Amino acid sequence: MDAVQIVFAGFTVLGGLVALLAGAYGLNRTRRISAAGQVVTALVKAAPPGADRPLLQYETADGRVLEVPAPAPPTRGLPLTPGSTVRISYDPDDPREIVLSGHERTRIDRGFMIVGAIVLLTGLTLAVTAR
C-alpha cells in the first residue's frame, strides 16, 4: 500500500509543480510585455470558422501588419466586436506575443500558482506520511 501512495504522491507533486510553473511563467510573461511592450491599437476582426477567439490586426513599429488570435475569448466585460478597436501591448522581440491592455488576466495565472502550490504541498504531505 505504501508504494501506491508514494507513486500517487509523486504524480501529485509533479502535477502541482507543473501548474505552479505555468502560472509563474504566464504572470512573468504578462508583466514583461505590459511593462516593456509596444502599445498599439488593434482592429478586431471576426473569428475564423471553428475558432472562438477573434483575430486582432495591428501594425508593428517596423511597419509589419500582423493578425493574431485574441489571447482571450470575448466576454461581457470585453466583447471584442468585429470592427471595434482595442489597445494591446506586443513584445518587440516577438510581435506575435500580445497582451490586451486592461485585461491582462493575471488572476488566472495567480490561480494556477495557488492551486499548484496546494497540490504540490498535498503531494509532499502524502510522500512524507507514506512511510
Side-chain angles (χ1 to χ4, degrees):
M1 182 80 164
D2 288 337
V4 172
Q5 188 173 353
I6 290 172
V7 170
F8 181 70
F11 281 116
T12 304
V13 166
L14 184 61
L17 185 60
V18 167
L20 179 66
L21 291 175
Y25 172 79
L27 191 59
N28 182 49
R29 178 188 157 279
T30 298
R31 286 183 176 165
R32 180 180 49 80
I33 294 172
S34 294
Q38 295 286 325
V39 178
V40 295
T41 300
L43 173 66
V44 179
K45 298 180 80 176
D52 65 340
R53 296 174 186 212
L55 295 175
L56 301 178
Q57 181 182 38
Y58 56 98
E59 185 175 354
T60 63
D62 62 4
R64 289 183 287 164
V65 176
L66 299 176
E67 281 186 6
V68 298
T75 62
R76 190 175 311 156
L78 182 64
L80 296 175
T81 308
S84 65
T85 59
V86 292
R87 300 215 25 100
I88 64 167
S89 295
Y90 70 87
D91 184 349
D93 295 329
D94 183 4
R96 299 190 66 77
E97 292 285 324
I98 65 170
V99 172
L100 286 169
S101 299
H103 300 278
E104 287 83 4
R105 299 183 63 180
T106 56
R107 288 192 312 216
I108 291 174
D109 293 328
R110 286 189 184 110
F112 264 95
M113 291 177 66
I114 290 168
V115 170
I118 291 169
V119 171
L120 178 67
L121 291 174
T122 301
L124 291 173
T125 301
L126 287 171
V128 169
T129 59
R131 296 186 216 173

